[in-house]
């Protein structure tokens, strides 16, 4: 599981709600979360799992799903 930075949409940021804290909480129970710091890291992640059956779930406000889809489509077209 990879967690990208969390940004507030049009509201104030909630104290204590960060991607780092989310990764820490997940890892306390499941030990499978990893923080990604920028979108360019997705290229390496996609390449690492290219021969495996994986699910890509992108959630968030704004253009996060579009950005993820564009990265995935670019990676697929370069294969």
């Amino acid at each position: 599981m990879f967690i990208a930075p969390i940004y507030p949409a049009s509201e104030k940021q909630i104290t204590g709600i960060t991607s780092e804290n989310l990764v820490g909480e997940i890892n306390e129970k499941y030990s499978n979360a990893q923080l990604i710091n920028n979108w360019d890291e997705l290229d390496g992640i996609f390449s690492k799992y290219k021969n495996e059956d994986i699910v890509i779930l992108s959630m968030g406000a704004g253009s996060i799903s579009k950005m993820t889809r564009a990265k995935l489509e670019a990676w697929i077209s370069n294969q």
Side-chain angles (χ1 to χ4, degrees):
M1 173 182 308
F2 299 93
I3 307 291
I6 297 172
Y7 300 100
S10 59
E11 67 280 347
K12 286 185 176 182
Q13 185 166 351
I14 301 170
T15 303
I17 304 298
T18 65
S19 50
E20 293 85 0
N21 289 349
L22 180 58
V23 167
E25 293 286 327
I26 292 168
N27 285 336
E28 283 183 17
K29 291 189 176 198
Y30 304 104
S31 301
N32 66 345
Q34 181 180 337
L35 179 67
I36 61 171
N37 295 303
N38 62 62
W39 290 107
D40 292 333
E41 290 183 45
L42 289 178
D43 297 326
I45 292 167
F46 291 155
S47 293
K48 181 178 179 179
Y49 295 101
K50 70 180 180 180
N51 294 321
E52 297 184 31
D53 293 328
I54 62 171
V55 173
I56 298 173
L57 173 64
S58 176
M59 299 183 332
S63 59
I64 288 176
S65 295
K66 289 179 187 176
M67 290 168 50
T68 305
R69 186 178 307 114
K71 276 285 192 186
L72 183 57
E73 288 172 354
W75 180 78
I76 290 170
S77 69
N78 289 325
Q79 294 301 304

